[in-house]
Amino acid sequence: MINKMKIRWTAALSFASLYANPGASGFVPSMSRTNAFRRTLVLPSAAAEEDYGIGMDQAAMMESDMLVAVDRNDVLIDGAVVSKRKAHEFNDEQPRGIAHRAFSIFLFNEKGELLLTRRADSKITFPGVWTNTCCSHPLYAMEPNEVDEVPAAYPNFPGIKHAAIRKLKHELGIDPKYVPHEDFQFLSRFHYWAADTVTYGDEAPWGEHEVDYVLFIQCKNEQPVVHVNEDEISEFKYVTIDELKHMMKEPELKWSPWFCGIMERGCFDWWADLEGALEGKHCTSEVTYFGPPKEHMARFNIPAHDENVGVLVNE
């Protein structure tokens, strides 16, 4: 199982040591693979997707989930395996965490309504916010393999789709028979970051920094049966475009910054042309960057930081 993964470091370097002193400008350079990941990985046998998360809570998965570190172009960082906890830690020495691969699933029913979810209040990062159907990460050491090689895997990205099926089962209890691998359509990737200041305040210890894959899927023949994992999801509902736009104007509701950013950058249009979107009409190889709204910037997120902060690089 993935939670038994052991990592043997051959260089005693902390992630904190990868950041230079910001100095007067406050600029923090990107991290280098050469210094950060000079190590030997001892990987277990791959874990089957149906076994994922059994007997584990949020804190345990923070330690056991091994994420896919990528550069700004979504290229794998050689030899880099980063725990979910480390990737999401925000502080003075790591002001935007560590950039990693993620996905956002948009599941539609036969009527074209979107399955919207509210993250559980027990979630460590961004608890209690409304967002798209499912948001998570591909992992190392999973079976089937979830780690795609970019750019070769474009536009099919089989690994990301395997991860999507795993997490729909884990979070919403959706049987894989409702979401066949071949029915997922990749649309675009967004590179974004955001500190969870809405939950934790100006010194937020957690945040997101992701290259996020947008995946559409429509269940035309039979609406999937949902059995919510209460440690992941607190509410769910199907909504139309107009209903979602109305909800997003309600001041008492909180929303994930990645969902808002994606919707503002084309997703409403893709949804309006759902048939075309599912046929690949809006598919693009570009990785689009966006920063957070002001309410998701912590004290240590300063204007002098550029898009490279928190991004590992191959050398």
Side-chain angles (χ1 to χ4, degrees):
M1 294 293 292
I2 191 168
N3 59 312
K4 295 181 181 178
M5 177 179 288
K6 296 180 180 178
I7 299 177
R8 182 171 67 249
W9 292 90
T10 58
L13 293 173
S14 68
F15 278 85
S17 71
L18 302 175
Y19 287 99
N21 188 329
S25 69
F27 175 72
V28 179
S30 59
M31 293 182 281
S32 167
R33 172 197 58 83
T34 303
N35 290 330
F37 295 101
R38 191 177 300 131
R39 64 189 181 184
T40 301
L41 297 177
V42 181
L43 297 176
S45 299
E49 63 181 23
E50 63 267 22
D51 296 329
Y52 175 78
I54 294 176
M56 301 178 70
D57 59 13
Q58 295 290 327
M61 286 185 286
M62 273 287 195
E63 302 294 345
S64 66
D65 284 5
M66 294 296 155
L67 307 191
V68 182
V70 292
D71 67 14
R72 288 178 55 188
N73 296 312
D74 191 35
V75 175
L76 299 176
I77 303 299
D78 296 339
V81 181
V82 183
S83 74
K84 184 177 179 182
R85 171 179 290 277
K86 175 54 67 175
H88 291 83
E89 286 179 340
F90 276 40
N91 49 52
D92 285 296
E93 296 175 327
Q94 189 173 286
R96 294 186 186 174
I98 300 171
H100 54 276
R101 194 173 283 171
F103 56 85
S104 287
I105 304 167
F106 291 73
L107 185 149
F108 303 91
N109 62 16
E110 186 176 8
K111 296 185 290 185
E113 297 170 327
L114 171 65
L115 179 55
L116 199 67
T117 60
R118 189 170 75 84
R119 290 163 67 88
D121 292 329
S122 60
K123 295 284 283 185
I124 295 172
T125 58
F126 299 93
V129 301
W130 283 95
T131 192
N132 47 282
T133 310
C134 180
C135 322
S136 193
H137 315 92
L139 303 177
Y140 280 104
M142 295 300 299
E143 180 60 44
N145 177 44
E146 297 180 356
V147 184
D148 293 314
E149 289 285 348
V150 171
Y154 173 85
N156 295 318
F157 298 118
I160 282 285
K161 295 175 183 179
H162 286 309
I165 293 169
R166 170 177 58 82
K167 284 301 289 183
L168 285 171
K169 175 68 173 177
H170 175 241
E171 295 193 2
L172 291 158
I174 294 177
D175 193 292
K177 71 179 183 181
Y178 295 110
V179 287
H181 189 275
E182 64 272 16
D183 285 1
F184 283 93
Q185 175 61 52
F186 165 78
L187 278 85
S188 186
R189 287 168 291 180
F190 292 93
H191 173 201
Y192 80 93
W193 66 274
D196 193 4
T197 48
V198 172
T199 303
Y200 297 102
D202 196 45
E203 299 286 338
W206 305 107
E208 284 287 6
H209 190 169
E210 301 179 328
V211 173
D212 194 10
Y213 286 58
V214 176
L215 299 175
F216 274 21
I217 188 168
Q218 185 176 24
C219 300
K220 293 184 177 180
N221 298 322
E222 187 178 1
Q223 187 164 295
V225 178
V226 174
H227 299 286
V228 166
N229 179 345
E230 295 182 353
D231 201 31
E232 297 284 345
I233 304 294
S234 59
E235 296 181 63
F236 70 93
K237 63 187 298 187
Y238 283 94
V239 296
T240 65
I241 291 178
D242 289 341
E243 287 169 341
L244 176 57
K245 288 181 176 179
H246 177 76
M247 284 183 67
M248 294 181 78
K249 293 178 182 178
E250 297 180 20
E252 69 274 14
L253 299 182
K254 297 187 297 182
W255 299 87
S256 75
W258 60 88
F259 178 67
C260 293
I262 292 170
M263 297 309 297
E264 292 167 358
R265 289 164 177 81
C267 201
F268 277 118
D269 294 331
W270 304 335
W271 183 1
D273 182 26
L274 183 56
E275 183 176 353
L278 291 168
E279 292 175 350
K281 179 180 175 181
H282 305 289
C283 178
T284 176
S285 62
E286 298 297 317
V287 178
T288 302
Y289 174 84
F290 65 84
K294 291 182 179 179
E295 62 267 26
H296 282 290
M297 294 185 67
R299 173 192 55 75
F300 36 76
N301 299 133
I302 61 177
H305 293 168
D306 69 8
E307 296 175 15
N308 295 306
V309 173
V311 180
L312 298 173
V313 293
N314 284 306
E315 289 185 352

